[in-house]
């Protein structure tokens, strides 16, 4: 589904190459409507000296951002540029800028105390429109093996989270991570990319040790001659497979005695 109204687009802030969502309503939308959970990274004001319970903002992986932008439901805001432009502060006029902020704050307080309704000129271009980055800022991610496997699992209804703590690229959950344990340790590879047998064995044993299967998958090249003839784990004996995405192939590795 593509949301044409720019006002309805989810705003994702990019700060020093990392992606964040600060608005709680946007966080609900990406989680409930688009199966993107992200990671809470903000400190709670009431209990700042701990890292067990965290709050806003939510940090998103580049693959999550690329998918939301590709689907037309989000846009990326250059927070650094917007702050520099709005504040317009340099080393020579910091005092002047602070004085202006204090005057504006004082005028606003006085206006509210008198019950006056301030009138403003509505700009023709909003701040988010002015500092929104083009889709090309994330389009390079579209052709990476990580994005291919992420998009494949997302289309199957899985929630995806970073898999670093289990030694993989991603973790795949059959539903919301608040309700389900992850089922797969996921790695995306190029279809003709080579990896060692030692890695296959080690990843399979690691997955078994944490009660998960190790999944490896890759997208077939666009110039592949006969995609229907590629061996797929989901194929039945008569050769008819349940796999609907002919452009992607995945395999799961489970060690003997799994479960």
């Amino acid at each position: 589904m593509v949301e044409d109204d720019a006002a309805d687009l989810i705003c994702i802030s990019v700060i020093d190459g990392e992606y964040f969502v600060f608005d709680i309503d946007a966080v609900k939308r990406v989680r409930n409507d688009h199966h993107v959970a992200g990671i809470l990274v903000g400190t709670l004001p009431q209990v700042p000296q701990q890292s067990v319970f965290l709050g806003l903002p939510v940090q998103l992986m580049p693959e999550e951002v690329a998918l939301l932008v590709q689907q037309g439901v989000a846009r990326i805001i250059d927070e650094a540029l917007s702050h520099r432009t709005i504040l317009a502060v340099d080393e020579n006029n910091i005092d002047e800028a602070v004085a202006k902020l204090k005057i504006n704050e004082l005028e606003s307080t006085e206006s509210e105390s008198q019950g006056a309704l301030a009138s403003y000129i509505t700009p023709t271009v909003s701040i988010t429109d002015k500092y929104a980055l083009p889709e090309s800022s994330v389009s390079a991610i579209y052709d990476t093996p990580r994005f291919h496997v992420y998009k494949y699992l997302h289309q199957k209804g899985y929630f995806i989270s970073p898999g670093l703590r289990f030694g993989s690229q991603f973790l795949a959950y059959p539903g919301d991570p608040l309700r389900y344990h992850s089922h797969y340790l996921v790695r995306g590879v190029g279809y003709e990319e080579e990896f060692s047998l030692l890695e296959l064995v080690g990843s399979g044993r690691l997955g078994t040790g944490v009660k998960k299967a190790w999944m490896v998958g890759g997208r077939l090249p666009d110039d592949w001659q006969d995609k229907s003839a590629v061996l797929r784990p989901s194929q039945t004996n008569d050769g008819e497979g349940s796999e609907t995405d002919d452009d992607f192939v995945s395999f799961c590795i489970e060690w003997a005695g799994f479960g």
Side-chain angles (χ1 to χ4, degrees):
M1 181 181 67
V2 177
E3 301 179 17
D4 296 326
D5 190 357
D8 291 334
L9 294 178
I10 298 166
C11 292
I12 301 173
S13 301
V14 56
I15 303 173
D16 196 23
E18 304 293 339
Y19 301 95
F20 302 92
V21 179
F22 288 88
D23 182 65
I24 185 61
D25 293 329
V27 171
K28 292 179 181 178
R29 286 179 58 194
V30 296
R31 191 181 193 103
N32 297 334
D33 300 340
H34 305 291
H35 286 191
V36 174
I39 301 175
L40 291 167
V41 296
T43 302
L44 298 179
Q46 295 180 338
V47 280
Q49 296 181 344
Q50 56 83 39
S51 59
V52 178
F53 302 102
L54 299 174
L56 294 176
V58 167
Q59 183 173 0
L60 302 181
M61 296 182 293
E63 291 77 18
E64 292 172 323
V65 176
L67 182 66
L68 292 172
V69 172
Q70 188 182 63
Q71 291 179 341
V73 299
R75 56 181 169 183
I76 303 173
I77 306 301
D78 189 338
E79 284 290 338
L81 177 60
S82 67
H83 277 72
R84 287 196 302 268
T85 306
I86 294 172
L87 295 178
V89 176
D90 57 35
E91 296 180 355
N92 297 323
N93 62 1
I94 291 180
D95 293 336
E96 179 183 351
V98 171
K100 288 182 179 179
L101 289 175
K102 289 182 177 179
I103 292 174
N104 292 337
E105 182 179 352
L106 192 61
E107 291 177 350
S108 176
T109 304
E110 182 180 354
S111 175
E112 291 176 0
S113 64
Q114 295 176 353
L117 296 177
S119 60
Y120 300 94
I121 299 176
T122 303
T124 56
V125 180
S126 68
I127 292 177
T128 52
D129 288 331
K130 187 174 182 180
Y131 302 109
L133 297 177
E135 183 179 356
S136 59
S137 63
V138 294
S139 60
I141 301 175
Y142 296 163
D143 295 326
T144 62
R146 285 175 58 100
F147 181 74
H148 294 157
V149 70
Y150 175 88
K151 184 177 180 180
Y152 171 77
L153 289 171
H154 186 272
Q155 290 174 340
K156 300 296 182 184
Y158 286 90
F159 279 75
I160 315 297
S161 72
L164 180 61
R165 60 179 174 171
F166 290 108
S168 62
Q169 292 177 346
F170 303 111
L171 295 176
Y173 298 79
D176 194 305
L178 293 177
R179 300 181 58 192
Y180 296 90
H181 289 290
S182 58
H183 285 188
Y184 302 107
L185 307 178
V186 182
R187 182 187 169 190
V189 297
Y191 184 74
E192 296 181 339
E193 178 182 342
E194 296 183 359
F195 54 91
S196 68
L197 183 61
L198 182 62
E199 181 180 358
L200 186 148
V201 173
S203 299
R205 289 175 64 92
L206 173 62
T208 301
V210 293
K211 305 299 183 183
K212 309 178 194 308
W214 184 60
M215 173 186 164
V216 58
R219 185 176 181 272
L220 292 172
D222 294 333
D223 57 353
W224 196 265
Q225 298 297 323
D226 188 2
K227 296 182 180 181
S228 62
V230 177
L231 174 64
R232 303 176 191 275
S234 58
Q235 283 182 332
T236 57
N237 294 332
D238 59 2
E240 295 182 0
S242 59
E243 176 63 66
T244 58
D245 187 355
D246 291 336
D247 292 333
F248 196 89
V249 180
S250 62
F251 295 89
C252 288
I253 309 298
E254 299 179 2
W255 206 248
F258 179 80

